[in-house]
Amino acid sequence: MKQFEANFDGLVGPTHNYAGLSVGNVASLSNASASSSPKQAAKQGLRKMKALADLGMVQGVLAPQERPDVTSLRRLGFSGSDANVLASAAKQAPAIFQACCSASSMWTANAATVSPSADTEDGKVHFTPANLTNKYHRSLEPQVTGNILKATFNDSHYFSHHTHLPDNEHFGDEGAANHTRLCSEYGEAGVELFVYGRHAFDHSKPAPSKFPARQTLEASQAVARLHGLSDKNVVYIQQNPDVIDQGVFHNDVIAVGNQNVLFYHEQAFLDSASAMDEIKRKFGHNELHLLCVKTTEVSVEDAIKSYLFNTQIITLANGEMAIIAPTNCQENPRVHKYLSNIAAQHTPIKHVHYYDVKESMRNGGGPACLRLRVAMTAEEHQALNQHTLMNDAQFERLNTWVDNHYRDTLNVADLADPQLLIESRTALDELTQLLKLGSVYPFQQD
């Protein structure tokens, strides 16, 4: 294939924990403070990556953030040795401390927005890390995310990296979780869909009342400008405020697309009819499949519980598409019934593959949260850091690395253990050598 879509999954970090930090994310809140298994979580993620590589996909690995984030705790006035910083922060400001221990960087759908070279004015692949300003624990990520992306897509002839948008709620940007690209072929110009929750500068417009709208229209427009996208290839769609208030914190919890298929719930968007008309018009005369799931088939509640739309849709070597779903979809009778019949819907989707990613699901993210999609050409593929790609040898190396450095069980109280910080930094330092990333973490640069 001369062009294809690669998946870069976030590697679960050695301090994977459940802290219930994300208001608006029902799964995250319901599992707050439960014991976690960093080793099991990392291995589940690696198995999913290897399975997609075995299906013929180009599969990559993105390194996790360093947690606990001692640098941020020092910025907030905690001082002394690293052990003193951890102890004093955990005692004096436990909520802030837990935020600085967040495991959320594993969901790389929030890492950045990516526009492929076929869409951009300068013919390069563009990356803008998400600022994630709506949640403090995620707002700590963009700088290191940018470092990791630059070390992964490290040839400036092919890749263009932007600084994240201003750290302000008016430009709240949640990355690819609110961005979908439709196209006929990955290497051809497509239509980029930016889904936003509210207007930052016009409070007369509809907005949710219970849970926050994390993406603004103004942020989406800014990313499109940075990436050199043409208006004729961009559609801005407002997410339905009512479904945000039901717990649909990102668009990828209620809609997912791949090539010429958009799979979405009928309640996903504020004005679905006009949005679909604009998509059809800008997509042109090529075949387009708009697969709308009715509430009578699957309720919003069931979609959230099972993460039906937080699945991945991938294109196999034979041109057919497959849905990569969490086993939670199998366990929900209505969702499983729908997916069992999806091959009869007269779309390219012909297969459903189920994977166990329950450690991620319990923290509020399904298969689609775990990956950043990068459509690219064969030349761009060769130009990226080849050590970040998944294959049999890398799968074995990373599993061995997890076995050597990860704990089987982690409780919230363990996060203040200075030995855990030492273990984590040792692991991450070795990981950057395995993936040939250089010094991407603050502790490596100090």
Side-chain angles (χ1 to χ4, degrees):
M1 297 174 65
K2 293 185 178 180
Q3 63 276 324
F4 46 83
E5 184 173 80
N7 289 293
F8 279 79
D9 280 35
L11 188 58
V12 177
T15 56
H16 170 69
N17 69 93
Y18 304 135
L21 299 169
S22 191
V23 175
N25 183 332
V26 176
S28 173
L29 293 176
S30 64
N31 289 292
S33 301
S35 296
S36 62
S37 174
K39 183 175 291 186
Q40 184 178 2
K43 285 180 172 288
Q44 285 177 355
L46 284 169
R47 283 195 295 270
K48 172 183 166 290
M49 292 184 228
K50 179 62 163 55
L52 264 64
D54 289 344
L55 286 172
M57 302 295 294
V58 175
Q59 177 67 56
V61 180
L62 291 178
Q65 302 270 325
E66 176 198 356
R67 294 294 181 270
D69 186 348
V70 176
T71 300
S72 291
L73 290 171
R74 290 185 183 280
R75 286 185 64 196
L76 296 174
F78 299 102
S79 59
S81 66
D82 288 340
N84 286 340
V85 167
L86 297 178
S88 56
K91 181 178 180 180
Q92 298 172 30
I96 294 173
F97 174 70
Q98 287 191 13
C100 290
C101 296
S102 169
S104 298
S105 72
M106 63 192 282
W107 298 311
T108 50
N110 302 121
T113 303
V114 184
S115 293
S117 55
D119 294 354
T120 62
E121 187 177 16
D122 63 3
K124 295 183 180 182
V125 183
H126 284 246
F127 299 82
T128 297
N131 59 25
L132 300 162
T133 57
N134 187 259
K135 297 289 181 286
Y136 173 68
H137 66 282
R138 300 223 62 179
S139 73
L140 305 177
E141 299 173 21
Q143 186 62 52
V144 171
T145 295
N147 294 345
I148 293 169
L149 289 172
K150 289 173 185 175
T152 304
F153 303 94
N154 54 356
D155 189 329
S156 61
H157 180 73
Y158 294 98
F159 308 114
S160 180
H161 295 272
H162 303 279
T163 304
H164 60 278
L165 298 182
D167 298 302
N168 183 279
E169 65 175 3
H170 288 74
F171 295 99
D173 176 25
E174 299 282 318
N178 289 320
H179 174 264
T180 300
R181 180 176 184 262
L182 302 176
C183 61
S184 293
E185 298 291 342
Y186 291 122
E188 298 176 0
V191 178
E192 300 199 22
L193 313 181
F194 289 85
V195 181
Y196 63 95
R198 66 185 179 93
H199 295 71
F201 291 90
D202 187 347
H203 299 297
S204 69
K205 300 292 186 181
S209 57
K210 180 181 179 182
F211 291 138
R214 306 185 186 188
Q215 183 87 23
T216 67
L217 170 63
E218 292 81 358
S220 298
Q221 292 170 329
V223 172
R225 286 192 294 269
L226 286 170
H227 290 194
L229 303 181
S230 169
D231 288 342
K232 67 180 181 181
N233 298 112
V234 173
V235 177
Y236 301 103
I237 310 173
Q238 183 163 4
Q239 192 172 357
N240 183 352
D242 290 339
V243 299
I244 294 177
D245 282 339
Q246 291 179 64
V248 180
F249 52 98
H250 289 136
N251 178 62
D252 67 2
V253 180
I254 203 74
V256 59
N258 177 57
Q259 285 192 302
N260 64 341
V261 174
L262 181 63
F263 179 42
Y264 66 102
H265 195 276
E266 69 172 338
Q267 296 187 47
F269 308 117
L270 183 62
D271 187 351
S272 208
S274 63
M276 295 308 123
D277 286 344
E278 185 177 358
I279 291 170
K280 290 175 189 175
R281 186 173 70 254
K282 292 186 173 180
F283 197 80
H285 299 294
N286 297 314
E287 187 177 27
L288 177 64
H289 300 274
L290 301 175
L291 182 52
C292 178
V293 180
K294 303 295 184 182
T295 305
T296 53
E297 297 172 303
V298 177
S299 68
V300 171
E301 182 182 8
D302 280 333
I304 295 171
K305 286 181 178 178
S306 66
Y307 274 20
L308 168 62
F309 297 97
N310 202 240
T311 52
Q312 295 176 241
I313 305 176
I314 64 172
T315 301
L316 304 172
N318 63 2
E320 295 179 347
M321 295 187 190
I323 286 183
I324 305 300
T327 51
N328 302 60
C329 286
Q330 263 182 317
E331 296 158 6
N332 184 299
R334 290 167 294 278
V335 171
H336 188 234
K337 179 182 177 181
Y338 184 88
L339 287 176
S340 297
N341 296 320
I342 200 167
Q345 296 271 12
H346 306 294
T347 76
I349 301 174
K350 302 301 180 188
H351 312 277
V352 180
H353 300 292
Y354 295 97
Y355 295 96
D356 181 0
V357 289
K358 281 190 168 60
E359 283 289 317
S360 176
M361 292 285 289
R362 291 189 187 108
N363 221 8
C369 283
L370 288 164
R371 61 90 173 93
L372 184 68
R373 308 164 71 173
V374 186
M376 60 178 61
T377 66
E379 291 80 10
E380 291 157 355
H381 174 233
Q382 290 301 313
L384 66 85
N385 177 352
Q386 300 296 298
H387 300 281
T388 62
L389 296 175
M390 179 61 67
N391 51 43
D392 290 347
Q394 191 67 298
F395 179 70
E396 292 300 325
R397 280 192 290 267
L398 289 172
N399 269 285
T400 299
W401 173 78
V402 169
D403 287 333
N404 289 341
H405 296 288
Y406 281 51
R407 296 188 180 187
D408 290 307
T409 304
L410 193 69
N411 298 308
V412 172
D414 297 331
L415 296 169
D417 180 4
Q419 182 58 37
L420 179 66
L421 178 65
I422 294 170
E423 292 171 15
S424 177
R425 286 179 170 175
T426 301
L428 295 178
D429 194 51
E430 185 177 317
L431 180 67
T432 57
Q433 297 173 54
L434 282 174
L435 302 180
K436 308 297 182 187
L437 298 177
S439 299
V440 296
Y441 298 110
F443 79 87
Q444 296 175 315
Q445 299 165 352
D446 293 341

